[in-house]
Amino acid sequence: MSNELVFYTHPMSRGRVVRWMLEELGEPYRTEQLDYGSTMKAPAYLAINPMGKVPALRHGETVVTEGAAICAYLADAFPAAGLAPPPTSPARGDYYRWLFFAAAPMESAMINKALGVAPAADQERMVGWGNYDLALDTLEKAVAGREFLAGDRFSAADLYVSGLIGWGLQTGGIPQRPAFQDFAARLSARPAAVRAREIDDGLLAA
């Protein structure tokens, strides 16, 4: 049985953060670039992800979708890369907390703000992010003055959170606060992050 890593993506998608994760691993992988509205909705890819969205990952017979889930899976599948705290480490709590806070409440708050959708005050308890300002301030407190989010070393949580912040700073979904700027700039300078951007930017230019 092959254990080949196959990465399904588009260079202008959430797949950019998964590309960074793959580059941090240093393991060989194959890229399948899909196009919106055509190959992304074709039967061959819908068999991988019925949502018809990217990113997705196939590792041997295992298929994983959703960016945060792919990052968490890869960190555990390749522990030698050191991209997750050990399962018994107290830092594992912060690792899961901020990885999935970014993937769910924070991104949802950003998308809803971009769409002009805001829950009324009496509806805030129904949504996971409460309101945009609350989610934003929570994220700022998490990254302000901290080198890493989980313990004393870089992890997939730092990668995913800084990727979301970087995207938000570029699109206006996150304001230009010093804590966000510093966190995103420092981590986006990592060699694997630079390589990942160069690969995806090259695919866009091709």
Side-chain angles (χ1 to χ4, degrees):
M1 181 185 300
S2 170
N3 282 322
E4 181 185 29
L5 283 169
V6 183
F7 173 42
Y8 302 88
T9 190
H10 184 281
M12 281 295 289
S13 75
R14 291 171 177 82
R16 291 180 77 99
V17 75
V18 174
R19 171 88 66 190
W20 178 8
M21 182 71 184
L22 287 163
E23 290 298 314
E24 290 282 356
L25 285 181
E27 297 288 336
Y29 65 93
R30 177 165 60 86
T31 299
E32 290 282 344
Q33 182 175 327
L34 303 171
D35 293 319
Y36 291 105
S38 59
T39 51
M40 213 175 286
K41 303 299 183 182
Y45 183 63
L46 292 176
I48 298 292
N49 184 1
M51 290 287 288
K53 291 182 173 290
V54 291
L57 182 85
R58 182 162 52 81
H59 182 206
E61 298 301 314
T62 299
V63 172
V64 190
T65 65
E66 316 314 317
I70 295 170
C71 289
Y73 172 84
L74 288 171
D76 286 343
F78 298 93
L83 292 171
T88 57
S89 168
R92 193 79 171 192
D94 280 337
Y95 170 76
Y96 283 132
R97 177 185 183 183
W98 298 117
L99 179 60
F100 294 110
F101 174 82
M106 192 65 240
E107 183 175 331
S108 295
M110 292 166 62
I111 295 296
N112 276 269
K113 182 176 176 61
L115 295 175
V117 177
D122 62 350
Q123 296 174 320
E124 290 180 359
R125 64 183 179 180
M126 299 172 61
V127 295
W129 64 93
N131 62 62
Y132 173 78
D133 290 334
L134 175 61
L136 189 70
D137 290 345
T138 300
L139 181 64
E140 183 178 23
K141 290 176 183 175
V143 302
R146 294 175 69 171
E147 186 175 7
F148 302 117
L149 290 168
D152 59 359
R153 64 179 299 173
F154 177 79
S155 73
D158 298 297
L159 184 154
Y160 193 88
V161 170
S162 63
L164 180 72
I165 291 173
W167 171 64
L169 290 172
Q170 288 183 337
T171 61
I174 287 181
Q176 301 288 329
R177 298 181 185 176
F180 295 141
Q181 294 171 325
D182 293 347
F183 192 76
R186 177 168 51 82
L187 295 183
S188 68
R190 290 177 62 86
V194 174
R195 287 197 305 274
R197 285 196 302 276
E198 290 175 346
I199 293 169
D200 279 323
D201 290 347
L203 291 174
L204 280 175

